[in-house]
Amino acid sequence: MKPLNIVLAVAGGALVGAAVGLLFAPDKGENTRKEIAKFLRSKGIILKKKQLDELAEELEEEIAES
């Protein structure tokens, strides 16, 4: 594997892990989604509410399949 692929895999895994942790946190879903959006904005990723909802649904599906 190329070093760049390894770095991208680790970064992607960390992002998904953080998102999963936030989704299962004991806070309200609305607050959690706001925190996820805030985190993504700090990284330069801006999502609209609909896009964030779709991301959350995709993550839930991935978790359910695991």
Side-chain angles (χ1 to χ4, degrees):
M1 243 181 160
K2 294 182 180 179
L4 180 60
N5 290 344
I6 294 171
V7 171
L8 291 176
V10 170
L15 181 61
V16 170
V20 169
L22 287 173
L23 290 173
F24 284 104
D27 200 0
K28 288 184 177 180
E30 182 178 335
N31 293 340
T32 302
R33 289 176 192 229
K34 285 180 183 177
E35 288 297 317
I36 292 171
K38 182 179 172 183
F39 172 79
L40 292 174
R41 275 194 305 274
S42 74
K43 302 299 179 192
I45 302 169
I46 299 172
L47 296 176
K48 295 180 181 177
K49 184 180 183 319
K50 182 179 177 183
Q51 292 171 315
L52 185 58
D53 290 341
E54 290 172 358
L55 175 62
E57 288 175 15
E58 287 179 32
L59 289 171
E60 287 179 52
E61 291 172 6
E62 287 291 323
I63 294 166
E65 292 175 3
S66 309

